[in-house]
Amino acid sequence: MDKIRIIGGTPLKGTITVGGAKNAALTLMPACLLTDETLTLSNLPHLVDITTMANLLAQHGVAMALNGDAANGGHTGRVLELTAADITNTTAPYDLVRRMRASVLVLGPLLARCGEARVSLPGGCAIGTRPVDLHLKALEQMGAVIELEEGYIVAHVKGRLKGAHIIFPQITVGGTENILMAATLAEGETVIANAAREPEVADLAHCLVAMGAKIEGIGSGTLKVLGVDRLHGALYSVVPDRIETGSYAVAAAITRGNIELVGARFDLMESVNKVLTEAGVQVEETPRGMRVSAEDCELTGVDIMTEPYPGFPTDMQAQLMALMSTARGASMMTETIFENRFMHVPEMSRMGARINVHGASAIVRGVPRLSGAQVMATDLRASVSLILAGLAAEGETIVNRVYHLDRGYERVEEKLAACGAHIERIKSSAGE
Ligand code: UD1
């Protein structure tokens, strides 16, 4: 597997272009299953997870055409046409689902359009058990009959799904997305209470409206969907990635540099920017996006608790922990969304960070300097947090097993190198 080699200590300066949001794209793509017309998505990032979703959709019978790239010599801003004229297969096989949990997002659309779906249970993953029970209960409320057979969710509905009043006992992003998609073609009205308010959910809702869906309350915790007989094609641009934005904002801060994040949506960054500002980082909106600067700054520790949007995102917790490791004083970081999401801690400790974990909280005591080391990436956000730590560390850091990184960050080493980082990818040799 590829490795990333970094020589840390250079303040990063320049511009980085933010791509389309991975998590939005992963729910917008399966929305194509809801119509026999073409859904065209622009500003699609070029990532391994997107390819996995494309492979999954292809085996359901979706025809796809990658229609050139909008910018940057074939990398960012891809345009993908997805046409599910005939759904030839309603099974999402184990081999694809195990690679990416978001595969479960085909369940709602398949059931709504075809009346049946067979989707492999996602099972555990590096950051916790992550069940899909809430997705299934909500679909049952809408009239689906669901059984678990040989590791598969087997779902059927006679006729159409029925509108229902769904109250999620806990906020779930994927659950809200699955039910939102299913409800667009259901009979009657569906109310989703305690819905996730993440911008990626709102992006999906706006796309569905462009496809002819009737949805009220977009961006709020209560979504009302009036089912329609059919949806049509649409052209939709994926929202910029707020987690990629936040990760590069931390790259500027942790190296005490100054980076303009072109294409960033400042309005979606409130909770992250509040923490950065409290720590002493300067963050400002620019006509092209936002600028993050920490030149000649001494940063101070800030307490953070992860929460559903608009709270501080769990997907930024590891990156902030890297930053807090270089700030003055202590910082308490509490993870409330996922169990087992401190797997980057032992690796950061190997780089000289002082972190103690107590249950769902970690106390981070800033150190004057991190030091380069060999580290191992365990999940997507852990991978990028180790790269960020490496950018600030003295000497050489090698991040091993960067497979996860490529699932969610497009050309990370090129983007950082363009701002002056000493970073390179070491390609794996055959047989490794
Ligand atoms: C999505 C994001 C992920 C992000 C997470 C939380 C995608 C592709 N992934 O994941 O990057 O970290 O939101 O912002 O968009 N839960 C249940 N039962 C369920 C569903 C969820 O118990 O049926 C629990 C989960 O185990 C977790 C919590 O609810 O503890 C939140 O999970 P959820 O919001 O569903 O996360 P994902 O949609 O999987």
Side-chain angles (χ1 to χ4, degrees), residues 33 55-62 86-93 96 106 110 114 116-118:
L33 294 167
N55 290 341
L56 177 61
L57 293 173
Q59 67 83 50
H60 289 311
V62 176
D86 287 309
I87 295 178
T88 50
N89 174 8
T90 53
T91 296
L96 286 168
V106 299
L110 284 176
C114 309
E116 60 170 44
R118 198 167 157 267

Side-chain angles (χ1 to χ4, degrees), residues 22-24 26-27 49 100-102 105 127-136 168 170-177 196 198 200 242-243 307-309 313-315 336-339 341 380-381:
K22 168 182 84 81
N23 286 352
L26 288 178
T27 186
D49 272 8
M100 187 182 68
R101 281 182 42 86
L105 292 171
I127 59 175
T129 47
R130 296 180 83 175
V132 289
D133 55 318
L134 303 176
H135 303 223
L136 304 188
F168 279 118
Q170 174 183 352
I171 291 180
T172 159
V173 173
T176 304
E177 291 166 346
E198 267 64 6
E200 295 74 25
R242 66 197 165 97
I243 307 299
E307 283 172 327
Y309 191 85
T314 174
D315 287 351
T336 72
I337 310 289
F338 292 114
E339 55 194 274
R341 208 173 191 180
L380 173 56
R381 307 304 170 185

Side-chain angles (χ1 to χ4, degrees), residues 126-361:
I127 59 175
T129 47
R130 296 180 83 175
V132 289
D133 55 318
L134 303 176
H135 303 223
L136 304 188
K137 275 188 199 132
L139 288 170
E140 279 174 343
Q141 262 186 273
M142 297 175 77
V145 176
I146 300 182
E147 277 159 327
L148 299 182
E149 283 172 14
E150 297 167 347
Y152 277 79
I153 301 160
V154 181
H156 292 274
V157 63
K158 270 214 183 96
R160 284 166 71 180
L161 288 166
K162 309 261 177 311
H165 193 126
I166 288 148
I167 305 173
F168 279 118
Q170 174 183 352
I171 291 180
T172 159
V173 173
T176 304
E177 291 166 346
N178 239 335
I179 301 312
L180 185 59
M181 288 189 274
T184 58
L185 291 181
E187 212 176 291
E189 187 183 74
T190 300
V191 176
I192 310 175
N194 203 25
R197 288 186 281 162
E198 267 64 6
E200 295 74 25
V201 176
D203 212 36
L204 170 66
H206 286 301
C207 177
L208 292 170
V209 168
M211 294 166 72
K214 299 210 178 328
I215 304 173
E216 280 176 28
I218 298 177
S220 79
T222 306
L223 295 167
K224 270 192 199 158
V225 188
L226 187 60
V228 293
D229 290 341
R230 62 183 303 272
L231 294 180
H232 51 73
L235 168 61
Y236 194 79
S237 175
V238 181
V239 69
D241 197 316
R242 66 197 165 97
I243 307 299
E244 188 191 23
T245 304
S247 303
Y248 289 125
V250 171
I254 203 167
T255 62
R256 309 301 188 258
N258 184 334
I259 300 179
E260 187 182 10
L261 297 163
V262 174
R265 277 273 303 267
F266 190 76
D267 58 316
L268 304 182
M269 301 303 299
E270 211 172 310
S271 61
V272 172
N273 288 348
K274 185 167 169 275
V275 169
L276 290 173
T277 308
E278 266 178 54
V281 180
Q282 283 152 30
V283 182
E284 59 175 12
E285 189 168 10
T286 65
R288 299 196 296 175
M290 69 186 233
R291 178 173 293 284
V292 182
S293 141
E295 285 168 302
D296 307 317
C297 278
E298 192 179 10
L299 304 185
T300 47
V302 177
D303 293 346
I304 293 151
M305 185 184 287
T306 64
E307 283 172 327
Y309 191 85
F312 187 87
T314 174
D315 287 351
M316 280 299 299
Q317 180 254 106
Q319 299 90 313
L320 250 292
M321 191 176 286
L323 181 63
M324 291 297 120
S325 294
T326 71
R328 186 161 43 93
S331 159
M332 184 158 92
M333 310 194 61
T334 306
E335 172 60 55
T336 72
I337 310 289
F338 292 114
E339 55 194 274
N340 206 14
R341 208 173 191 180
F342 285 135
M343 302 218 314
H344 41 281
V345 170
E347 302 301 307
M348 284 185 193
S349 301
R350 303 188 66 249
M351 300 178 72
R354 285 181 62 206
I355 307 167
N356 285 316
V357 175
H358 303 273
S361 294

